[in-house]
Amino acid sequence: MKRISLTQHLVEEQRLNNNISAELRLLIEVVARACKTISHAVGKGALGEVLGSANTENIQGEVQKKLDILSNEILLEANEWGGHLAAMASEEMESIHLIPNRYPKGEYMLLFDPLDGSSNIDVNVSIGTIFSVLKAPEGMQTPVEQDFLQPGSQQVAAGYALYGPQTMLVLTTGHGVNCFTLDREMGSWVLTQRDMKIPADTQEFAINASNARHWFPPVTRYVNELLAGSTGPRQKNFNMRWIASMVTDVHRILTRGGIFMYPADAREPGKEGKLRLMYEANPMAMLVEQAGGAATNGKQRMLDIPPEKLHQRVAVFLGSKNEVDRVTAYHQ
Ligand code: AHG
Ligand code: MN
Ligand code: MN
């Protein structure tokens, strides 16, 4: 097998599509390198003293794990000096992070969920990092939160790293989705799957069913029909998976299809679901659409939603197109 590195892939994609400036390439390579560092820390586990809680809370009121904080710091530090960014935003920081004055500024803005699937860290189940890249608005001086509030359709790149039995990087720059596997001996990312595609039909779904009593009628109807199997209205059996690491659930869907749902529910009135639009739902929606799937909040295309706040939550339905279309239609 001829090995194609991440760098070679990015250079060739630029030649082909003229969509990856030198700055954007640097950005992606710096993020990929930071993910390598996070992967290394994850792999050390107790030996690296990275497990357990940090006994602090983030802006969402969630208790932070040591790895949430460490991963956030690794990404911030890696991305400050390169001159490719105007600012960053993260699940773990209340407000946006400006590039320190000692460094030059660039035209991109980076958002991330530094460590996704935190509840799985201490049980040695796959976790990940999710990132989204936007362009700074024309004429922007000092970046403010408002500059980040662009719909997901404006993303110039999106991806995730998956820290599992293998460490992978799944990336889109708007021309399909490609997967790289970390060669741990060489320390390099090697292209291992080109142009990932999600089949339009599936017999697998993912939802946290412990919340069933709180669901709204469209979700209850949809899931009940799946559960009814071959003797129900769908006339086929469906299998279920729920890993509780969105990265891992989405990776399964990019690999073999499926639908992922984290709906809004009646637990906390007014709360639009659990996942965050800007650094979880939007990057995943871009990847899923680029792979031929669909992503909505139950009512509209995820990538068309005009964001109102940096840490805004959103209901998520994504994956195999025919299933996402169906559950979205049930909401009409
Ligand atoms: P994070 O660890 O970044 O807070 O995200 C966790 C998310 C997501 O990865 C997963 O799909 C979901 O939370 C699981 O939520 P439940 O524990 O409610 O099932
Ligand atoms: Mn997350
Ligand atoms: Mn997280």
Side-chain angles (χ1 to χ4, degrees):
M1 175 178 103
K2 186 183 173 322
R3 288 166 63 110
I4 297 177
S5 67
L6 176 63
T7 306
Q8 182 177 350
H9 172 80
L10 294 173
V11 168
E12 286 175 352
E13 191 169 319
Q14 158 64 13
R15 251 176 232 153
L16 203 64
N17 300 316
N18 197 28
N19 65 332
I20 306 182
S21 66
E23 268 193 10
L24 181 58
R25 194 177 89 216
L26 177 65
L27 186 164
I28 292 168
E29 293 196 282
V30 167
V31 169
R33 199 173 312 146
C35 291
K36 239 188 304 193
T37 309
I38 297 170
S39 172
H40 190 253
V42 168
K44 286 230 178 261
L47 304 178
E49 295 179 21
V50 296
L51 303 185
S53 167
N55 295 317
T56 50
E57 275 190 5
N58 67 10
I59 164 78
Q60 356 260 343
E62 298 160 346
V63 175
Q64 291 175 304
K65 303 278 180 163
K66 285 183 196 162
L67 259 182
D68 289 321
I69 296 176
L70 181 69
S71 307
N72 191 56
E73 281 166 2
I74 289 170
L75 281 158
L76 288 179
E77 207 177 282
N79 280 287
E80 276 184 339
W81 52 267
H84 51 286
L85 286 184
M88 291 180 253
S90 160
E91 174 181 315
E92 305 302 338
M93 299 184 299
E94 176 162 10
S95 39
I96 66 167
H97 179 90
L98 299 180
I99 301 300
N101 276 330
R102 60 184 182 279
Y103 300 122
K105 318 284 177 288
E107 61 172 335
Y108 294 100
M109 302 191 300
L110 175 66
L111 298 99
F112 43 82
D113 173 356
L115 209 289
D116 174 68
S118 302
S119 74
N120 283 322
I121 296 171
D122 293 351
V123 284
N124 197 9
V125 169
S126 299
I127 50 185
T129 297
I130 311 172
F131 64 93
S132 160
V133 184
L134 292 167
K135 252 194 166 151
E138 204 70 40
M140 184 185 79
Q141 294 297 321
T142 304
V144 293
E145 177 173 325
Q146 186 66 34
D147 297 316
F148 281 82
L149 304 183
Q150 308 176 26
S153 56
Q154 297 296 309
Q155 293 172 107
V156 294
Y160 60 78
L162 171 61
Y163 314 117
Q166 305 127 51
T167 291
M168 290 177 163
L169 179 75
V170 174
L171 176 70
T172 182
T173 50
H175 292 267
V177 179
N178 295 295
C179 179
F180 302 82
T181 302
L182 179 62
D183 180 329
R184 290 182 168 133
E185 282 76 46
M186 305 289 281
S188 57
W189 294 104
V190 181
L191 181 63
T192 44
Q193 206 184 339
R194 250 186 225 282
D195 211 18
M196 299 175 95
K197 286 289 174 220
I198 301 174
D201 290 300
T202 181
Q203 288 181 231
E204 206 160 59
F205 69 103
I207 193 165
N208 184 339
S210 71
N211 298 319
R213 70 189 184 283
H214 305 294
W215 292 341
F216 295 125
V219 174
T220 305
R221 173 185 171 197
Y222 176 71
V223 174
N224 281 344
E225 289 180 4
L226 303 184
L227 293 175
S230 58
T231 55
R234 300 298 306 275
Q235 299 183 320
K236 58 179 183 177
N237 294 324
F238 286 81
N239 187 23
M240 197 194 82
R241 288 284 185 277
W242 183 254
I243 296 169
S245 295
M246 187 193 202
V247 164
T248 313
D249 278 313
V250 169
H251 190 71
R252 182 187 60 255
I253 289 170
L254 279 165
T255 306
R256 67 178 191 213
I259 177 170
F260 171 95
M261 294 170 275
Y262 208 118
D265 60 39
R267 266 178 293 173
E268 287 178 52
K271 192 167 156 187
E272 276 298 308
K274 175 180 186 185
L275 299 173
R276 277 63 47 122
L277 174 64
M278 301 292 297
Y279 39 80
E280 291 179 315
N282 272 343
M284 291 311 201
M286 182 178 182
L287 288 164
V288 164
E289 281 198 3
Q290 285 292 321
T296 75
N297 66 350
K299 299 183 180 105
Q300 66 178 131
R301 181 180 176 228
M302 190 69 71
L303 297 180
D304 286 337
I305 298 174
E308 286 163 8
K309 297 191 302 225
L310 192 57
H311 297 290
Q312 174 171 346
R313 295 179 192 265
V314 69
V316 176
F317 301 85
L318 61 76
S320 290
K321 189 167 185 325
N322 291 340
E323 293 302 319
V324 174
D325 286 352
R326 177 184 286 264
V327 68
T328 303
Y330 287 4
H331 284 78
Q332 306 305 311

